[in-house]
Amino acid sequence: MSSIHQIRSGILLFAVVVAVSVCVFSHNPMYVKADDTVRTSENGVWSYIVLDETKIRITALDNTKTEKLFDGNIYTGIVTIPSTIDEYQVYEIGDVNGDSSTKGVFENLKGVKDKADGEGYPIKQLVIPYGVVTLGTNCFKNVDCEEIIIPSSVKTIGVSCFQDSKILRITLPDSLESIGELAFGRCNSLGEVNFGKGLKEIGSKAFMWCTSLTAVNIPDSVITLGEAVFADCTAVTSLTIGSGIKELPASSFYGCSSLESVVLPDSVVSIGSNVFKGCSKLSDITLSGSIQTIGNDAFLTNYIGVSSSENGNTIWHDEEIEDAVKLGITIPKELTDVSTLNLTVYKNVTFKVYEGNSTVINYFTNNSVTNYITYSGSSDNNSDKGENTGTKTEDGGTSKTEGGTSDDTTPEDKGQGTADNTKSTSSDKVEYNVGQTYSSGSYTYKLLSKNTASFTGITNKKLTRVNIPATVKFDKTSYK
């Protein structure tokens, strides 16, 4: 009997253990299978989806229970997102599929209410916990918060993640690899961005309309920029482009009206259309020695697109910026062929060409481009820019040629006067024909019409300064 009793007791004990185990395991979130079911956290604040046995994605926040967001004193204004919820690690926050219609987890959050008095208190700092890898679409869109701390575990910032937020500054960790489209778009208060060393891609319009941003320093790790990535950042005065960039896509820095100077790294081979259009204070840009293509209106710094409404339709057209400064485009010593770069269309510029770059000089000459000067020495340390001066025009460097006739040009130095070539005698009189090139003193000119000529070069290589006269005389005829 005792043995039977022992057997029964053992069976009963086993049953109890199994029952308890089933009960515990069934209520332990660590054993919930991954699926798309949206669950609510035990404290009722969060909604989430289980990704695997240990990780979750936060999908929503209950705005009626925001007082629970504060860790400690509500008056500090510091909100820390928990690193674990219901024993799961918080791995992702927000939609990761790029659906712009998805409401962000913290979207439109303006402050936190105290349950006791119902008063709202502003959020000064929002801390994302270590372990979070992805910040999804619209996650912190239109959040009224001065600063958001991003941990060194985050690799991806999604579409419109911080768009329209009130953040003043942001430091991006070295772990971050990609920034999505419009991620920081229209963050009008954002004055400082510190990029990490691991960043590879910045999406289209990622920082568009960040009107308080003053400096952009793209690290060498970045290899891809999206279109209009920093467009209309009207306060940016300083721009550094890393050596990993090969292409500047369309409208990259469009409308950056405070930008003053740019040096392109040798890695840049392509500049898209409208890249520096509307950069009305841009006075100097140095091309890379390996540039291969330049898109339409890339350097049209003295024009900007404006819109008007006609019959309910939005019409866009270019409008001239009256106070735009003249742009100086430095063509480096290494760039010897500009024939495919579409540069001759730009009139509000002065091209700066290395004096020994005969290929570029001849190309400009043959295409009646007169708004250029030459410089001596290395383009990398160009202390002698402008030492040798090409033709200047009365309207500040513009030279137009139609049907073989050049517009009247006047040197900036009115005292240069007229070059007279009257050395030939009646016995060796020379006939001067339109289309031919002739010498006068140390200079050579090509006759364009019966009264106009184009400066084509110098015959005295020892000259240290070139002063182009307003007119040149061959025989008894003066040519402008």
Side-chain angles (χ1 to χ4, degrees):
M1 290 293 292
S2 59
S3 60
I4 295 176
H5 179 73
Q6 290 177 349
I7 292 174
R8 287 178 177 176
S9 299
I11 294 174
L12 180 61
L13 179 61
F14 176 76
V16 171
V17 170
V18 170
V20 171
S21 299
V22 169
C23 181
V24 171
F25 291 168
S26 63
H27 287 82
N28 191 331
M30 297 291 287
Y31 292 88
V32 176
K33 293 182 179 180
D35 56 34
D36 293 331
T37 302
V38 177
R39 294 174 169 81
T40 302
S41 63
E42 291 181 359
N43 64 4
V45 176
W46 309 99
S47 295
Y48 63 86
I49 292 175
V50 176
L51 300 176
D52 61 26
E53 293 181 348
T54 62
K55 302 181 184 69
I56 61 169
R57 175 194 305 144
I58 296 177
T59 59
L61 164 71
D62 187 341
N63 286 335
T64 66
K65 300 178 180 179
T66 54
E67 76 280 355
K68 296 182 179 181
L69 292 177
F70 280 110
D71 182 14
N73 192 339
I74 192 170
Y75 305 105
T76 64
I78 299 176
V79 171
T80 300
I81 300 172
S83 58
T84 60
I85 296 176
D86 297 346
E87 299 185 43
Y88 286 105
Q89 177 197 339
V90 177
Y91 190 73
E92 299 172 345
I93 303 177
D95 177 71
V96 297
N97 298 314
D99 184 359
S100 59
S101 64
T102 302
K103 187 180 186 300
V105 175
F106 294 90
E107 186 173 349
N108 299 323
L109 185 65
K110 302 300 181 184
V112 176
K113 288 187 176 181
D114 185 354
K115 190 174 182 179
D117 57 21
E119 293 291 328
Y121 296 93
I123 301 174
K124 295 182 179 180
Q125 185 183 83
L126 200 157
V127 181
I128 301 169
Y130 182 84
V132 174
V133 174
T134 303
L135 303 177
T137 301
N138 298 331
C139 193
F140 301 96
K141 185 176 182 179
N142 200 29
V143 168
D144 195 352
C145 175
E146 295 180 1
E147 185 177 21
I148 297 179
I149 306 299
I150 302 177
S152 58
S153 56
V154 171
K155 294 183 178 181
T156 304
I157 292 177
V159 173
S160 299
C161 185
F162 298 94
Q163 182 182 337
D164 294 315
S165 68
K166 305 302 187 292
I167 53 176
L168 303 179
R169 68 194 71 84
I170 195 77
T171 296
L172 302 173
D174 292 343
S175 61
L176 184 65
E177 297 178 356
S178 66
I179 298 174
E181 180 180 356
L182 277 169
F184 294 90
R186 211 164 33 232
C187 290
N188 295 327
S189 301
L190 182 61
E192 180 183 346
V193 177
N194 297 302
F195 293 106
K197 298 178 182 179
L199 188 60
K200 298 178 181 178
E201 178 182 6
I202 307 177
S204 298
K205 304 176 185 178
F207 292 89
M208 189 173 183
W209 302 302
C210 289
T211 54
S212 295
L213 192 62
T214 58
V216 173
N217 296 294
I218 302 173
D220 293 341
S221 60
V222 176
I223 57 177
T224 303
L225 295 177
E227 292 187 357
V229 60
F230 290 98
D232 290 317
C233 292
T234 54
V236 169
T237 59
S238 172
L239 169 63
T240 301
I241 300 173
S243 60
I245 299 297
K246 292 184 178 181
E247 298 180 6
L248 296 179
S251 304
S252 299
F253 307 101
Y254 176 96
C256 291
S257 54
S258 297
L259 185 61
E260 297 177 352
S261 64
V262 177
V263 177
L264 300 180
D266 286 339
S267 59
V268 174
V269 298
S270 176
I271 300 175
S273 60
N274 303 317
V275 167
F276 295 102
K277 185 175 181 178
C279 296
S280 55
K281 290 186 180 179
L282 186 59
S283 61
D284 184 70
I285 184 168
T286 300
L287 299 180
S288 71
S290 53
I291 196 75
Q292 297 176 7
T293 59
I294 296 177
N296 294 334
D297 296 344
F299 301 117
L300 197 64
T301 56
N302 59 325
Y303 280 86
I304 192 72
V306 296
S307 63
S308 60
S309 180
E310 295 183 11
N311 300 322
N313 298 318
T314 301
I315 307 298
W316 284 90
H317 64 278
D318 283 346
E319 185 174 281
E320 187 170 10
I321 303 172
E322 294 183 359
D323 60 347
V325 301
K326 179 176 286 188
L327 172 63
I329 299 180
T330 299
I331 298 174
K333 183 178 180 180
E334 298 78 16
L335 184 57
T336 58
D337 184 5
V338 297
S339 60
T340 63
L341 299 185
N342 200 29
L343 291 176
T344 59
V345 300
Y346 298 105
K347 307 305 178 184
N348 191 47
V349 305
T350 298
F351 296 104
K352 304 174 184 180
V353 187
Y354 174 61
E355 64 179 0
N357 199 336
S358 58
T359 303
V360 173
I361 293 174
N362 289 337
Y363 173 75
F364 281 165
T365 298
N366 293 334
N367 287 274
S368 301
V369 176
T370 57
N371 48 320
Y372 76 90
I373 61 176
T374 60
Y375 65 85
S376 61
S378 169
S379 60
D380 295 330
N381 186 18
N382 186 8
S383 59
D384 295 322
K385 285 182 182 177
E387 181 176 297
N388 298 321
T389 308
T391 304
K392 301 277 188 175
T393 64
E394 187 173 12
D395 62 355
T398 302
S399 176
K400 301 178 181 178
T401 302
E402 298 179 3
T405 302
S406 176
D407 290 346
D408 294 345
T409 59
T410 304
E412 289 183 345
D413 181 359
K414 302 295 184 180
Q416 290 178 12
T418 302
D420 194 352
N421 186 45
T422 56
K423 293 183 179 179
S424 59
T425 62
S426 59
S427 60
D428 59 357
K429 185 175 182 179
V430 178
E431 291 188 7
Y432 296 95
N433 301 314
V434 173
Q436 300 299 311
T437 300
Y438 304 98
S439 297
S440 175
S442 297
Y443 308 151
T444 59
Y445 304 87
K446 181 179 180 179
L447 303 188
L448 301 176
S449 69
K450 292 181 179 181
N451 59 6
T452 59
S454 174
F455 170 78
T456 58
I458 59 176
T459 57
N460 183 356
K461 302 300 182 181
K462 295 183 179 180
L463 288 179
T464 60
R465 184 171 295 277
V466 177
N467 295 307
I468 308 302
T471 60
V472 60
K473 182 180 288 186
F474 291 104
D475 197 9
K476 296 181 179 180
T477 304
S478 294
Y479 297 85
K480 294 181 181 179

